[in-house]
Amino acid sequence: MCWTLVPTGKGELGQAQLDLLAKDLAAQNQDTPIVVFSHIPLYDLYPKWGWATADSAKLLSLLSRFASVTVLTGHIHQVIEHSEGNIRFHTAAATAYPLPAPGHGEQPTPVKLPENNLLAVLGFRTVEVISGKNTRVDQHALS
């Protein structure tokens, strides 16, 4: 299940997207594992840099009844894990260029890396789902 975010400073899903999601989720049992793909973080990770979604509280309310929700997010180009109840948020390191950690610097501009250190900080994520077990998300370095 994924949808496009409409940027309005922080990022915004919009009522039409939330209504569509509510309709899709209504047909699901609370034990159904839910996986959400998003570009901008769906919680207030660091609003000063736009790493947040203005209407995320409405989204999280829709997802809160499910026993297992995994949200995979891009945009920030680094590994951050966050949980709110049964909702787990995961990001991945950049495959293109890294950004600074929240609050390090005036704005999220690309970090210059020494050429001999690139493979240690660029990466990707894998997700393995095994029926009856928690979702496992691993960080891997490119090689």
Side-chain angles (χ1 to χ4, degrees):
M1 180 180 303
C2 65
W3 53 91
T4 304
L5 299 174
V6 180
T8 58
K10 283 172 100 178
E12 183 178 271
L13 295 165
Q15 194 58 51
Q17 303 261 6
L18 290 166
D19 291 345
L20 178 63
L21 180 63
K23 181 179 176 185
D24 285 348
L25 292 176
Q28 302 301 317
N29 182 293
Q30 69 184 21
D31 293 328
T32 302
I34 304 295
V35 178
V36 178
F37 297 91
S38 69
H39 182 75
I40 295 173
L42 296 177
Y43 68 98
D44 284 353
L45 194 154
Y46 198 68
K48 180 178 177 181
W49 286 356
W51 294 0
T53 302
D55 48 3
S56 63
K58 293 176 184 176
L59 168 79
L60 299 181
S61 176
L62 292 171
L63 295 171
S64 66
R65 74 177 180 92
F66 294 95
S68 176
V69 179
T70 303
V71 180
L72 303 173
T73 303
H75 188 68
I76 66 170
H77 297 206
Q78 58 192 276
V79 176
I80 293 180
E81 295 182 2
H82 174 76
S83 293
E84 293 192 19
N86 291 333
I87 304 171
R88 290 179 305 281
F89 300 87
H90 300 278
T91 62
T95 57
Y97 58 88
L99 295 175
H104 290 83
E106 293 297 316
Q107 57 187 355
T109 56
V111 175
K112 174 110 171 92
L113 301 170
E115 289 181 27
N116 62 353
N117 195 31
L118 292 176
L119 293 179
V121 296
L122 299 179
F124 62 94
R125 286 280 204 174
T126 61
V127 177
E128 179 180 345
V129 178
I130 301 171
S131 182
K133 295 187 178 185
N134 289 335
T135 301
R136 189 178 95 210
V137 180
D138 295 323
Q139 171 69 25
H140 298 280
L142 293 174
S143 56

